[in-house]
Amino acid sequence: HALGGRCLQCAGRQVRDVPLTSYALFCAACPATSSSSSSSRSSALPLSSMARLGGSGTGELTFAAFVALAARLEPEPGERLLYLGSGSGRAVIAWALLLQQSCASGVEASPLLHEVAVAGRGRLPENVRGRVFLHCGDVLATQGEWHHASVIFVSARAEDVGPITEGLQGVRPGTRVVAISQPLSPDPQRAPAGFALAGTGAYRNARAGNSTVYIYRRI
């Protein structure tokens, strides 16, 4: 990358070791979607198709980027992840592999992306698969369950950010909310009412670009 490229914002982040078996299981569950060899055999969805859906799959992070982001959140054993707009399920699967005592849930509106996520979950070992929960439907219809999670990821279209932010007012104090690409406040340098902005950063996404991440904490 040229000097000053956005990926240089990764400099200074703490590197976390991940067991090779966890990475291998992730690769088996989430085969590379950018490969021209993707087919119905692997249940992988080409990234071009994800982009046409205009849904959450376009901002999903690479495994290495997600590991770095998860380390920044400093999760405790047993913390539950909820991903609103979970796309093809990469982050949900990665969380369950990284935190062996934790559950991860994803809600995705696109039936096609949900189908990819379910196929990936099916390729996980049973002890991991039992901690991954995937739902297809309107994320706003699940608001009554959001308070069960201590870490919430949000990948949403700009027009959906307002209603989601309003719904997040019901989560417990201390809950970390991670917004991918779209900040929860009109001013990216500020947090919505009831939240503090804990940090921002650029993280590599699965489309070989960078996604800006906004981290908030419920106060």
Side-chain angles (χ1 to χ4, degrees):
H1 296 273
L3 184 64
R6 289 188 67 203
C7 65
L8 295 180
Q9 294 185 41
C10 293
R13 292 183 185 161
Q14 186 174 2
V15 177
R16 296 297 179 103
D17 290 331
V18 175
L20 183 59
T21 52
S22 296
Y23 179 62
L25 289 171
F26 177 84
C27 292
C30 306
T33 52
S34 58
S35 170
S36 59
S37 63
S38 295
S39 68
S40 58
R41 280 189 303 108
S42 63
S43 298
L45 184 67
L47 289 169
S48 58
S49 297
M50 288 185 179
R52 286 197 299 273
L53 286 170
S56 24
T58 58
E60 294 183 77
L61 303 180
T62 65
F63 183 79
F66 184 82
V67 169
L69 178 54
R72 187 173 180 180
L73 298 174
E74 300 182 334
E76 298 290 337
E79 286 204 71
R80 179 184 294 269
L81 170 74
L82 171 63
Y83 200 132
L84 304 176
S86 51
S88 63
R90 297 170 61 90
V92 178
I93 289 171
W95 184 273
L97 288 168
L98 294 172
L99 286 92
Q100 297 184 6
Q101 301 178 42
S102 298
C103 295
S105 300
V107 185
E108 174 55 47
S110 164
L112 186 55
L113 288 175
H114 175 70
E115 181 182 341
V116 175
V118 169
R121 177 184 179 274
R123 289 188 283 268
L124 292 169
E126 184 176 356
N127 65 319
V128 180
R129 190 165 63 242
R131 295 184 285 108
V132 175
F133 304 91
L134 300 167
H135 311 276
C136 185
D138 181 0
V139 298
L140 293 173
T142 64
Q143 289 183 54
E145 306 298 325
W146 295 1
H147 68 280
H148 293 299
S150 55
V151 177
I152 300 176
F153 276 56
V154 178
S155 182
R157 298 171 299 182
E159 59 266 32
D160 295 329
V161 169
I164 289 175
T165 302
E166 183 178 346
L168 288 169
Q169 296 298 321
V171 303
R172 293 173 296 176
T175 299
R176 285 92 81 209
V177 177
V178 180
I180 309 293
S181 298
Q182 295 286 349
L184 299 184
S185 172
D187 181 353
Q189 301 304 314
R190 299 176 65 87
F195 288 86
L197 180 63
T200 63
Y203 290 81
R204 200 70 168 168
N205 61 47
R207 299 187 68 202
N210 288 327
S211 293
T212 301
V213 169
Y214 304 86
I215 303 172
Y216 306 92
R217 182 179 291 271
R218 185 74 167 101
I219 55 178

